[in-house]
Amino acid sequence: MKLLKLVVLFACIGQLSAQDTIIPLWPKDKIPNRIASDELEEHKRNGILRISKVQEPTLEVYLPAQKNATGQAMLIFPGGGYGILAYDWEGTDIAKFLNGKGIAGIVVKYRLPSSISQTDKHLVPLIDAQRAIRMVRAKAEAFHVDPAKIGIIGFSAGGHLASTLGTRFGEEVYEPLDAIDQESARPDFMALGYPVITFGEATHKGSKTNLIGEDPAPELASHFSNEKQVTENTPPTFLFHATDDEAVPVENSLLFYQSLKGKGVSATMHIYPKGGHGFSLARKDPHLMGWTERLFEWMESLK
């Protein structure tokens, strides 16, 4: 009887680890652009888990039961103005929600710009984002996902990072380390929730300052204004935003949609009259929460 109980216990542990696996993005001594420092990662919880000063980026992998799996996966980039990561609110909660639709949810704990811990800090989030999608593609068989059905979703500043990846996936921002870096960094599809897109007039000042500084060169601000980086190869995109967003003006999504349309890229956009900023799954708003079902319908249409 004791042996049976042990077998059951280990089986349960195995199931949990399969659902929640944390994987380092980089070999510990080969993290690009890293400067050794005394800076330590911080976790603070006040209704939302806020992670700052990320030193070692990771993937946190949530997989649906194999019999429910659609073969699709989404990498999730939480927001936080490039100063913190709203890690559960716009990360792990999203991953678990995706699992309910048979979609693998993979949260990217990416490094945030830091002049103390990094060189060329404005490139570091994109470096981690490129590596993240390459790693998922390299591990597609292990995760039971189709390597041609790997998308991304980002919220607020995480939406800026996602749209940066979706428009600049081919830009060489770090030296390849291993076979993982031979994989494509192009997302197959992209969803952006109340995203920071432009570093022009309608920008979110905090995100812009944290990433490229208080007084950046105009060409740098233009390079990180993602409505200007759209090409015919930008992946199909789903946008959602609230008109009354006072933190990240809805013009960010409108600018990106117009650029996608201009380049002939398939684009879907849902603008809600109310919702403010940072509403995540919006489970307490019967109208706004509908964005999730619209997302799943859109993902189904991609097949």
Side-chain angles (χ1 to χ4, degrees):
M1 183 61 71
K2 287 184 179 179
L3 179 60
L4 178 60
K5 288 181 179 179
L6 284 173
V7 169
V8 172
L9 175 62
F10 284 122
C12 291
I13 292 172
Q15 287 177 352
L16 286 172
S17 63
Q19 297 297 311
D20 180 3
T21 302
I22 297 177
I23 304 171
L25 269 185
W26 307 96
K28 192 167 186 179
D29 59 345
K30 294 183 179 180
I31 302 176
N33 294 47
R34 184 178 186 183
I35 299 172
S37 74
D38 294 331
E39 195 171 53
L40 298 175
E41 184 170 305
E42 294 182 358
H43 290 223
K44 295 181 180 179
R45 187 181 291 278
N46 183 15
I48 295 174
L49 173 59
R50 294 171 170 85
I51 298 179
S52 61
K53 302 178 182 178
V54 175
Q55 300 299 307
E56 296 182 8
T58 61
L59 299 180
E60 187 163 349
V61 182
Y62 290 82
L63 302 177
Q66 286 188 42
K67 288 187 177 181
N68 285 329
T70 65
Q72 292 175 315
M74 290 194 87
L75 282 80
I76 304 159
F77 296 94
Y82 284 122
I84 61 103
L85 301 178
Y87 195 75
D88 50 1
W89 181 245
E90 294 171 345
T92 54
D93 281 4
I94 305 298
K96 295 169 188 176
F97 194 76
L98 290 170
N99 278 182
K101 294 291 187 177
I103 301 162
I106 301 164
V107 186
V108 185
K109 188 178 75 173
Y110 56 92
R111 286 175 292 165
L112 300 159
S114 167
S115 56
I116 296 172
S117 299
Q118 301 154 12
T119 60
D120 295 325
K121 66 176 186 176
H122 61 286
L123 293 177
V124 168
L126 179 58
I127 289 171
D128 287 351
Q130 285 190 2
R131 175 72 173 189
I133 193 166
R134 286 176 170 138
M135 180 171 283
V136 172
R137 198 157 266 134
K139 295 181 177 292
E141 184 175 356
F143 295 161
H144 306 289
V145 301
D146 185 333
K149 294 182 179 180
I150 298 173
I152 59 177
I153 184 169
F155 300 84
S156 193
H160 184 267
L161 178 54
S163 60
T164 304
L165 176 60
T167 54
R168 292 166 53 194
F169 51 84
E171 187 173 321
E172 294 183 9
V173 289
Y174 68 94
E175 291 291 328
L177 290 182
D178 49 32
I180 290 172
D181 291 324
Q182 304 309 309
E183 298 284 349
S184 171
R186 181 185 182 273
D188 295 301
F189 51 92
M190 175 164 62
L192 306 173
Y194 38 89
V196 179
I197 293 293
T198 187
F199 280 175
E201 290 184 7
T203 193
H204 176 251
K205 187 176 180 181
S207 296
K208 178 180 178 180
T209 299
N210 285 336
L211 187 64
I212 61 174
E214 286 277 359
D215 189 23
E219 56 269 24
L220 185 62
S222 179
H223 194 54
F224 280 91
S225 291
N226 291 331
E227 78 279 10
K228 299 180 180 181
Q229 309 306 323
V230 174
T231 72
E232 293 82 358
N233 293 321
T234 300
T237 301
F238 178 97
L239 295 133
F240 59 99
H241 215 128
T243 302
D244 66 348
D245 189 333
E246 295 183 359
V248 178
V250 71
E251 283 75 14
N252 282 264
S253 286
L254 297 175
L255 284 168
F256 201 66
Y257 178 84
Q258 289 172 343
S259 294
L260 293 165
K261 182 175 180 291
K263 293 295 184 179
V265 177
S266 176
T268 297
M269 181 169 61
H270 293 274
I271 303 297
Y272 295 87
K274 295 182 179 180
H277 186 72
F279 49 78
S280 182
L281 294 169
R283 302 315 293 170
K284 295 182 180 180
D285 186 321
H287 180 54
L288 192 59
M289 68 188 292
W291 79 259
T292 56
E293 291 304 316
R294 305 293 79 76
L295 173 68
F296 297 136
E297 291 166 359
W298 174 76
M299 291 176 67
E300 283 287 326
S301 76
L302 297 174
K303 297 179 181 180

